[in-house]
Amino acid sequence: MAEHRLGIGAEPQGFRFSRVVPFRASGKALRDKRPNALASFATHHLTLSFLSAAVLSGAWEWAGLVPISPAFPTFSETMAALWSISADGSLVGAFAVTLQPLALGLVISVVLGVGLGVAMGLSPKTEWLASPIFVVAQSAPLAALIPLIVFAYGIGLTSKTIVVCIMAMPVIVLNSFAAVRHTPKSLIEMGESFLATRRKVITRIILPAASPVIFAGLRLGCASGFIGAVLAELLITPTGVGDLITYSRSIADYPTMYAAILSIIAFSVLFIEVLGRVEVMIFRPEKRAVS
């Protein structure tokens, strides 16, 4: 009691060291704070993606065995057909034809779409001139324009490239416009307060701030471009993957037809996933560890 009254062996009143270091923390309490390896594995995004694919494949196999339709093959039959058309080179040749209008259309859509979207975001006059066109193009059923495109440009590469552009460009333009227009005004005012020129405000403040949303618009536009490429091959003239789908359907080779459809879906998903990884690496460094 005397030692306690004199302060011997007690902590100073101004600073309590026991609040910083938990002297009496048990080993079990420290072990409980460690992440559970099994729970981390079960909730990892790759595990969940694999589980989702397994469930979908199982449901597909069951639906084909029932069957829900004579024209609906099982998942195993579709995979066998996919291996067959991959081994004989027909799938590779079909993709070589399909990727021509797709690549050309996406390059044109990205260059013109981002440029127009940024111009609309920076200039109200450009917005008034071009915004109604792309708003209508995004909401209208563009497949109805394909007969007009064929009538004007024929059934060649030009028509298919235009279809890809009219499917992809409105999404890219409107996302780029929204990204630039919604740049935080506080950043722009900060640049102007430091006497930055208009050019430096655009190149060093507006475009870097809008880049993540612009890149997200590119992903959505590329996905729409894939739809346009397949749509053009089915409605204009059967070539590439569209020809493979149409011919397989005409001879009732449904496993091959579904294999061709699955291949273009898988290629599109892989392409969009690569764009997402590039977006994270360039514009979202805080998410690199999570992804």
Side-chain angles (χ1 to χ4, degrees):
M1 294 298 293
E3 292 178 353
H4 180 70
R5 286 193 298 268
L6 293 175
I8 301 175
E11 296 178 0
Q13 294 296 325
F15 177 76
R16 293 188 178 274
F17 195 69
S18 60
R19 294 179 180 177
V20 181
V21 180
F23 288 101
R24 297 184 179 181
S26 62
K28 183 178 184 301
L30 294 177
R31 287 194 300 270
D32 291 340
K33 295 182 180 180
R34 298 175 182 174
N36 191 336
L38 181 60
S40 299
F41 175 77
T43 56
H44 195 271
H45 68 278
L46 292 178
T47 305
L48 297 177
S49 299
F50 178 79
L51 180 62
S52 176
V55 171
L56 179 62
S57 302
W60 186 347
E61 184 73 19
W62 174 84
L65 291 174
V66 170
I68 61 173
S69 171
F72 191 82
T74 62
F75 179 76
S76 56
E77 292 173 344
T78 304
M79 290 296 101
L82 180 61
W83 173 259
S84 177
I85 60 178
S86 300
D88 61 15
S90 57
L91 184 62
V92 177
F95 266 96
V97 176
T98 300
L99 289 179
Q100 294 178 14
L102 176 62
L104 187 58
L106 288 182
V107 170
I108 295 173
S109 300
V110 169
V111 174
L112 293 182
V114 173
L116 283 173
V118 171
M120 290 166 54
L122 296 175
S123 172
K125 294 182 180 179
T126 307
E127 176 193 354
W128 298 335
L129 177 65
S131 178
I133 298 174
F134 292 102
V135 170
V136 172
Q138 188 179 31
S139 58
L142 297 180
L145 299 178
I146 292 180
L148 298 177
I149 296 173
V150 173
F151 181 77
Y153 299 101
I155 60 174
L157 180 64
T158 303
S159 296
K160 296 177 181 179
T161 303
I162 292 175
V163 172
V164 174
C165 290
I166 64 175
M167 293 292 293
M169 193 177 296
V171 181
I172 297 175
V173 170
L174 294 179
N175 276 271
S176 301
F177 160 68
V180 173
R181 180 55 58 89
H182 291 90
T183 302
K185 293 187 179 299
S186 59
L187 296 178
I188 299 176
E189 293 172 354
M190 179 189 66
E192 293 174 347
S193 67
F194 282 96
L195 303 180
T197 63
R198 177 64 174 168
R199 181 179 179 181
K200 288 186 177 180
V201 169
I202 294 174
T203 57
R204 299 188 181 184
I205 296 178
I206 296 178
L207 291 181
S211 294
V213 180
I214 292 176
F215 211 93
L218 293 181
R219 294 174 59 189
L220 296 175
C222 290
S224 300
F226 275 94
I227 298 174
V230 178
L231 194 64
E233 291 187 338
L234 292 176
L235 298 181
I236 296 178
T237 178
T239 56
V241 178
D243 181 38
L244 195 60
I245 295 172
T246 304
Y247 177 74
S248 301
R249 183 185 60 185
S250 65
I251 63 174
D253 187 3
Y254 298 117
T256 302
M257 182 185 74
Y258 277 88
I261 296 173
L262 181 62
S263 66
I264 192 67
I265 293 175
F267 184 82
S268 175
V269 171
L270 180 62
F271 184 78
I272 301 304
E273 183 66 21
V274 170
L275 285 182
R277 297 289 180 178
V278 173
E279 178 189 0
V280 169
M281 292 175 59
I282 298 176
F283 301 115
R284 301 177 186 272
E286 72 278 0
K287 293 187 178 181
R288 291 176 188 173
V290 179
S291 59

